[in-house]
Amino acid sequence: MNSNPSSSIHTDLDPQNLPFHVAIIMDGNGRWAKKRLFNRIKGHEKGSETVRAIVRASREIGIRILTLYAFSTENWQRPQIEISALMTLLKKFLISEQKEMLDNNIRLNTIGQTERLPEDVRKELQKSMMLTRKNEGLILNLALSYGGRAEIVKAVKEIAIKAIDGRIDPDSITPDLISKHLYTAEMPDPDLLIRTSGEMRISNFLLWQLAYSEICITDTLWPDFGKDEFMRILKNYQQRERRFGKVGP
Ligand code: FPP
């Protein structure tokens, strides 16, 4: 018998039926800290360690795209001290993970209104994206200053301008054309959405792209989330029948 439960779950996974694209709403950092009478920033610090562990696990398992909701357009309304701490953590993460991304064939990508991020963070993002642009393993797709409605508005504006200019015939506007005007234009939609901390909401995340994603909500708070639970969720995903609105076999 295998005494290591995580490795037995790992070998249990069907490599032919892995989700190509996994998206995660990383929620519960604040509650994790509150339960321990820490300030919220400590929760985000512990949450960044989970980010590292889940990026590594995704690469090892063979997931091709991991989209993490790291900062939403609504998060700009949090207290300035928390926003600054999150930006500092993000910058630290980018600096500390640069070698790991290069050594492990990880390509960094971002979606969202990244022009709103502080200049030093944008610089690190640009640098990591440039250095990793040729990597073909896991795509780590960070949603930063991201909002699903804002993304759709941006796409609609771009399409409207092309229609006015006569570059698009309104009759040729299809779901596929809209997808091509989203931040995720080059990516297939997520197969699986995971949300931690038990909230049953999408919170303005990938509103268009999640149309047929499988959803898994776990009560675990993000700082407590780990590889073993991730494996169990992937195993559960593999047992689901995806019908995309059609009838089953
Ligand atoms: C939600 O928890 C989490 C966030 C708003 C930010 C996510 C950020 C990290 C995991 C750390 C930094 C990111 C990277 C990529 C290094 P919450 O604060 O809403 O928790 P609560 O609902 O319990 O208050």
Side-chain angles (χ1 to χ4, degrees):
M1 208 182 88
N2 191 330
S3 58
N4 179 344
S6 72
S7 85
S8 88
I9 294 167
H10 194 168
T11 48
D12 258 10
L13 286 174
D14 172 1
Q16 304 303 323
N17 187 22
L18 284 171
F20 190 94
H21 183 173
V22 175
I24 308 185
I25 302 178
M26 311 182 286
D27 195 14
N29 293 350
R31 273 161 286 169
W32 182 92
K34 195 172 175 195
K35 265 174 53 181
R36 289 161 179 81
L37 305 178
F38 295 152
N39 67 31
R40 297 176 54 80
I41 290 160
K42 190 89 191 139
H44 295 313
E45 281 169 12
K46 191 77 172 65
S48 343
E49 288 171 29
T50 307
V51 172
R52 284 190 183 91
I54 296 304
V55 171
R56 186 167 296 178
S58 300
R59 185 190 58 75
E60 286 166 4
I61 295 163
I63 285 159
R64 302 302 307 280
I65 307 177
L66 177 68
T67 298
L68 299 178
Y69 204 5
F71 196 86
S72 72
T73 44
E74 289 72 29
N75 288 156
W76 290 115
Q77 289 157 39
R78 291 195 175 196
Q80 192 52 49
I81 188 163
E82 186 172 343
I83 296 175
S84 300
L86 280 166
M87 293 302 142
T88 304
L89 274 176
L90 177 61
K91 189 173 153 189
K92 273 193 190 159
F93 172 85
L94 292 168
I95 295 170
S96 70
E97 294 310 284
Q98 217 166 68
K99 185 170 179 324
E100 168 109 5
M101 290 193 278
L102 285 171
D103 289 349
N104 292 297
N105 204 16
I106 297 173
R107 174 150 71 91
L108 182 74
N109 188 62
T110 56
I111 56 172
Q113 300 169 342
T114 48
E115 66 283 0
R116 293 177 71 184
L117 299 171
E119 199 186 335
D120 56 337
V121 175
R122 268 185 297 154
K123 263 197 186 149
E124 282 309 325
L125 278 172
Q126 287 304 336
K127 186 172 165 198
S128 294
M129 286 195 291
M130 229 276 289
L131 287 171
T132 63
R133 71 191 184 286
K134 297 216 172 103
N135 289 350
E136 289 176 338
L138 173 74
I139 296 178
L140 171 59
N141 191 31
L142 292 182
L144 294 168
S145 189
Y146 173 87
R149 287 187 172 178
E151 179 182 35
I152 294 171
V153 169
K154 181 187 89 69
V156 169
K157 275 189 189 157
E158 284 172 14
I159 294 170
I161 289 169
K162 288 183 189 171
I164 291 167
D165 290 353
R167 283 180 286 148
I168 284 183
D169 171 1
D171 283 338
S172 71
I173 300 174
T174 58
D176 193 43
L177 185 97
I178 293 176
S179 293
K180 288 199 168 82
H181 286 81
L182 300 174
Y183 292 121
T184 49
E186 308 298 325
M187 297 174 188
D189 292 338
D191 302 291
L192 173 65
L193 170 72
I194 300 172
R195 180 170 187 144
T196 57
S197 96
E199 307 289 353
M200 307 278 184
R201 301 190 274 273
I202 292 189
S203 301
N204 203 15
F205 189 43
L206 301 176
L207 296 179
W208 177 273
Q209 297 89 334
L210 292 174
Y212 286 103
S213 308
E214 295 296 319
I215 298 180
C216 176
I217 294 175
T218 167
D219 284 335
T220 306
L221 304 174
W222 178 250
D224 290 329
F225 190 73
K227 185 172 177 181
D228 288 358
E229 184 166 10
F230 191 30
M231 296 286 196
R232 283 196 292 277
I233 289 173
L234 294 173
K235 184 78 198 151
N236 173 283
Y237 166 88
Q238 296 197 323
Q239 285 152 0
R240 297 190 191 185
E241 185 198 350
R242 301 188 71 192
R243 292 197 298 271
F244 300 94
K246 299 174 213 146
V247 289

